[in-house]
Amino acid sequence: PLVDEIIIAYNDAPTAIRLASFTATAESDGIHLEWETAMELDNVGFNLYRSERVEGPYTRLNAALIPPQNPGTPLGAVYTWLDTDVRPGILYYYRLEDIDIYGMATLSDPVSVVFQATPTALHMQSVVTHSSIGWVGLGLVAVALMAVTFRKRRG
């Protein structure tokens, strides 16, 4: 669910996480976001933002802060998010924000992707078949067979 719309100002101050990667990939049911941290010391969580323009404004995608998997440790983790509120043919920009225990926020560089809708399943309607002969045709075939049988008996 989309939350509030904000304009993001980039903060150069590093936080206590090391972002190894942040990617956006179009899939059949939405845009798959994935990020990996190499370290999560003093991290309290993440926010994801989306915009249709690189300069913003960006809208926060998560209603609540996304908690770290390994808070207070030198270990990293992998996170995923599926953005399903997207329209075909639109170029989307995403930014990841990490927040540390001191309230400092750092934004990633934007990543972008175009969502192209593709069918996720084939839907088949019921198919009703009808014989092309029908009742009248069957009657005519029966009459023709009787005529052939009658001729063979006469002959």
Side-chain angles (χ1 to χ4, degrees):
L2 296 177
V3 188
D4 43 306
E5 186 172 281
I6 62 169
I7 295 176
I8 298 176
Y10 185 73
N11 180 354
D12 284 333
T15 59
I17 75 138
R18 182 170 297 132
L19 188 61
S21 67
F22 178 45
T23 60
T25 307
E27 295 183 353
S28 62
D29 52 351
I31 296 176
H32 179 239
L33 301 167
E34 182 174 294
W35 66 99
E36 182 177 359
T37 59
M39 174 179 66
E40 297 187 350
L41 288 172
D42 297 334
N43 180 261
V44 294
F46 303 93
N47 288 310
L48 283 169
Y49 296 92
R50 178 186 65 215
S51 177
E52 292 181 19
R53 298 182 327 186
V54 70
E55 67 276 1
Y58 282 78
T59 302
R60 190 171 76 192
L61 299 178
N62 50 301
L65 197 63
I66 300 166
Q69 293 181 28
N70 296 308
T73 71
L75 301 175
V78 175
Y79 300 83
T80 61
W81 181 279
L82 182 62
D83 184 8
T84 58
D85 190 24
V86 291
R87 297 182 320 264
I90 304 291
L91 175 62
Y92 290 103
Y93 295 90
Y94 293 91
R95 294 187 84 177
L96 176 68
E97 176 184 54
D98 67 271
I99 302 172
D100 72 12
I101 60 174
Y102 307 106
M104 296 295 295
T106 302
L107 284 171
S108 70
D109 290 332
V111 295
S112 62
V113 66
V114 174
F115 176 67
Q116 298 296 336
T118 55
T120 56
L122 295 175
H123 297 282
M124 186 172 183
Q125 297 180 352
S126 320
V127 177
V128 178
T129 59
H130 296 283
S131 171
S132 60
I133 295 177
W135 289 110
V136 173
L138 287 175
L140 291 173
V141 169
V143 169
L145 287 174
M146 287 172 42
V148 169
T149 305
F150 181 71
R151 284 186 189 159
K152 284 187 178 183
R153 287 187 180 170
R154 285 182 64 194

